[in-house]
Amino acid sequence: MLRRLVVPLSLVLVATPAARAQTVPTGFAVETLAPGLSTPVAFEFLPDGRVLFVEQFTGRVRVFTPGAGVQATPVLAVPGVAAGGERGLLGIAVDPAFPTRPYVYVFHDVATPRHIRIARFTLAGDLAGTGASDLVADPASRHDLIDDIPDQADNHNGGTVRFGIEGVLYASVGEDAVACAAQAPGTLRGVILRLRTDLLPPGPGSAFRAQLTLPDNPFAASADSNLRLVGAYGLRNPFRFQVDPKFGTLVIGDVGGVLREELDMLQPPLVFANLEPPPAEAAPLGANFGWPWREGTAVGTLGAGCGPEPVGLVAPLFEYDRTARLGGAAIVSAGRYRHVNGLSTSWPLEYDGDVFANDYYSGELLRLKPANGVWGPAPPVPGQPSPTAWGVGFNEVSDWRVGPDGALWFCRQSVDFAPNSGSIARILGLSSPPPPAVPALRVSLRVSPAVGSAVLLVSDDAAPARLTIHDAFGRAVRTFHSSEFLRGASGIEVRWDGLDHDGRRMRPGACVARLESAGRTASTRIPFLR
């Protein structure tokens, strides 16, 4: 039985079966936007709607502009990438303060010596998306966050990097085919990492563990500097996870070995006030998801050699049997769908909060809902291709995101593993009239320039919301949440005393205030004087 997530192209038989057409329910349509790509494996949206994607085996970062196509010149050729098997350039994330902080973060296997690296590069050129020049990144701008994650095996790498809604960078790392290492998180195997990036200086360099450690990480007080970076552990191969933009919940697809494929939920601390409660079934930071003592809810076959079974193992959100899938099985998380108001391409409101996942080999796309606290396949809808699969034909799909248009975008590595047959595509919602448009956010400076302190005026409908002050280097230096907003004579106010989050007086210069609420953003410049 196949267990690897990506089959090396050299191992594919010449005579392959014809690819099944992608089928989705009535009222939806699949649209391929960028065909003919070379093994695209992960992607991320820039704020202007452009798509940055990475090619697993070429080690290239590329950019797709809807309506204009793929930029001919790669944005970046990441040096030193090890490719083959499940290795390669596997993940990409964009700094949440882009373009103020014009950074892109990548996760890849390194060829010599073998290890895994998480690194940052600085983007330049067409940061605003005007099309006047190419978007580029200089390889010499590399700033290593972590450059010593073990990589003894060519599988079980993990490979996702994503920013959470609190501005923290999460990364998934497999157990490197060393099952017991998933229960030794200080080895940086079988873990979800939780990394701080706002303290890193601009330009090339290499981070210290202390710069990356968040004070609210579950093991932040450990004497082991590796363990301080860990947000959860006990995972086999968490190849792909997604972040819920509402609660910040991580929906993690952990690829099984013999018995089960599983989805797990991890809940970071909430950053917004006055939200409805987050999902009760999500595990808190520090969770142990059980591998190798558990594979889903089944007793694992490899745990006996790892010592006594620990208490408090966390059960999955959802699992399915992989033993009957003769062509192999590998779960890929598509995360929680979130409806985007006012757009005809967005899905109907009844899909909001549903969890989606596909199987890389069978091509089934699952839609999950809770019933009496238990997550399982949602009731079938008209045109659904099978009682349990909401969609079929999504073979070799390796990443998903809800786009700014409310469509569910996906990255397909190939068709029947043929070279240069990958694509970027989306599933559009077509059946429901769009709900009323939500007014744009607004944020402004009451008195400019600001001298010593500042009062910012924000939209009346900005709740729940977060307002972040960024310094001249794009670093987030102070954050305010809805509970700290005040109603003044001129409307809703945010009063900044001119101090950073450590209580230090800010230096004079040009700051930026960024307001975020319900998927909308607005910003304004703050000329700041002492």
Side-chain angles (χ1 to χ4, degrees):
M1 178 182 292
L2 293 175
R3 298 180 185 174
R4 295 185 176 180
L5 187 59
V6 178
V7 176
L9 298 181
S10 60
L11 300 184
V12 178
L13 297 177
V14 173
T16 56
R20 287 187 293 170
Q22 292 164 336
T23 305
V24 291
T26 304
F28 295 84
V30 179
E31 180 183 22
T32 298
L33 299 168
L37 304 180
S38 177
T39 58
V41 66
F43 69 100
E44 175 67 288
F45 288 99
L46 289 167
D48 54 45
R50 287 178 294 172
V51 178
L52 279 177
F53 64 93
V54 293
E55 297 173 342
Q56 180 176 356
F57 299 129
T58 68
R60 298 186 301 187
V61 178
R62 306 193 69 187
V63 62
F64 164 69
T65 303
V70 176
Q71 180 178 292
T73 303
V75 175
L76 172 68
V78 178
V81 172
E86 294 176 11
R87 288 186 171 121
L89 179 56
L90 300 176
I92 186 167
V94 174
D95 196 288
F98 184 92
T100 306
R101 290 167 53 89
Y103 302 135
V104 63
Y105 301 77
V106 298
F107 180 114
H108 71 92
D109 298 273
V110 179
T112 307
R114 294 285 195 194
H115 66 282
I116 290 172
R117 173 185 296 148
I118 301 172
R120 185 192 78 188
F121 292 88
T122 303
L123 293 170
D126 188 17
L127 298 182
T130 63
S133 61
D134 282 346
L135 183 68
V136 295
D138 185 350
S141 69
R142 192 184 95 206
H143 195 115
D144 293 334
L145 279 65
I146 303 179
D147 198 23
D148 57 359
I149 297 171
D151 184 25
Q152 73 165 23
D154 68 353
N155 58 356
H156 301 200
N157 299 289
T160 303
V161 279
R162 287 274 191 267
F163 275 95
I165 63 174
E166 76 277 43
V168 170
L169 183 65
Y170 292 88
S172 64
V173 185
E175 38 82 297
D176 197 25
V178 183
C180 296
Q183 295 297 320
T187 65
L188 302 183
R189 287 169 159 147
V191 296
I192 301 293
L193 300 177
R194 189 169 185 260
L195 310 175
R196 184 173 190 173
T197 62
D198 63 306
L199 297 181
L200 302 180
S206 183
F208 299 104
R209 294 291 198 258
Q211 290 174 301
L212 302 171
T213 302
L214 287 138
D216 61 347
N217 272 359
F219 309 109
S222 172
D224 184 340
S225 61
N226 279 348
L227 188 56
R228 295 176 204 154
L229 305 179
V230 172
Y233 64 107
L235 295 158
R236 181 180 180 270
N237 184 19
F239 167 68
R240 195 62 75 215
F241 69 84
Q242 311 295 346
V243 178
D244 179 5
K246 183 174 183 179
F247 295 115
T249 314
L250 274 63
V251 182
I252 306 162
D254 194 16
V255 180
V258 177
L259 303 170
R260 298 286 191 272
E261 299 294 310
E262 71 178 82
L263 282 177
D264 301 302
M265 260 193 182
L266 181 68
Q267 182 61 57
L270 290 179
V271 298
F272 295 148
N274 304 319
L275 278 177
E276 61 188 87
E281 56 271 39
L285 291 180
N288 180 353
F289 289 108
W291 176 260
W293 282 284
R294 294 288 184 274
E295 190 174 343
T297 56
V299 175
T301 60
L302 301 176
C306 301
E309 181 177 320
V311 298
L313 301 181
V314 176
L317 178 81
F318 174 76
E319 64 183 328
Y320 60 84
D321 186 354
R322 73 187 321 275
T323 59
R325 296 170 182 262
L326 299 179
I331 195 167
V332 178
S333 171
R336 299 192 79 171
Y337 178 80
R338 290 299 177 189
H339 176 85
V340 178
N341 283 329
L343 298 175
S344 61
T345 48
S346 190
W347 291 16
L349 273 170
E350 57 263 32
Y351 283 86
D352 189 76
D354 292 353
V355 168
F356 285 82
N358 71 291
D359 190 284
Y360 186 89
Y361 291 107
S362 75
E364 294 169 296
L365 177 58
L366 307 177
R367 177 195 179 196
L368 307 174
K369 274 186 175 293
N372 300 318
V374 178
W375 284 79
V381 296
Q384 186 168 309
S386 84
T388 56
W390 186 87
V392 296
F394 293 89
N395 312 67
E396 299 146 64
V397 170
S398 57
D399 201 7
W400 299 83
R401 295 303 297 273
V402 177
D405 55 359
L408 184 57
W409 290 58
F410 62 93
C411 166
R412 188 175 190 181
Q413 290 206 278
S414 59
V415 176
D416 289 335
F417 303 100
N420 300 313
S421 61
S423 59
I424 302 292
R426 62 180 178 172
I427 305 174
L428 306 167
L430 304 174
S431 59
S432 299
V438 174
L441 281 183
R442 300 183 309 277
V443 59
S444 60
L445 188 62
R446 188 166 73 178
V447 178
S448 182
V451 181
S453 62
V455 176
L456 293 139
L457 304 177
V458 303
S459 309
D460 285 348
D461 66 336
R466 172 178 61 179
L467 186 140
T468 307
I469 308 293
H470 298 268
D471 66 12
F473 296 103
R475 295 175 294 210
V477 295
R478 189 73 176 272
T479 300
F480 300 87
H481 303 295
S482 298
S483 58
E484 301 169 271
F485 293 8
L486 303 171
R487 181 166 290 279
S490 304
I492 305 298
E493 298 179 349
V494 179
R495 299 175 183 175
W496 176 41
D497 56 11
L499 304 179
D500 67 12
H501 51 66
D502 294 320
R504 296 172 297 199
R505 179 67 57 184
M506 287 287 295
R507 295 179 179 179
C511 300
V512 172
R514 178 182 172 87
L515 179 66
E516 301 168 83
S517 176
R520 301 170 296 160
T521 61
S523 61
T524 190
R525 187 170 176 269
I526 307 174
F528 185 72
L529 307 176
R530 284 272 180 91

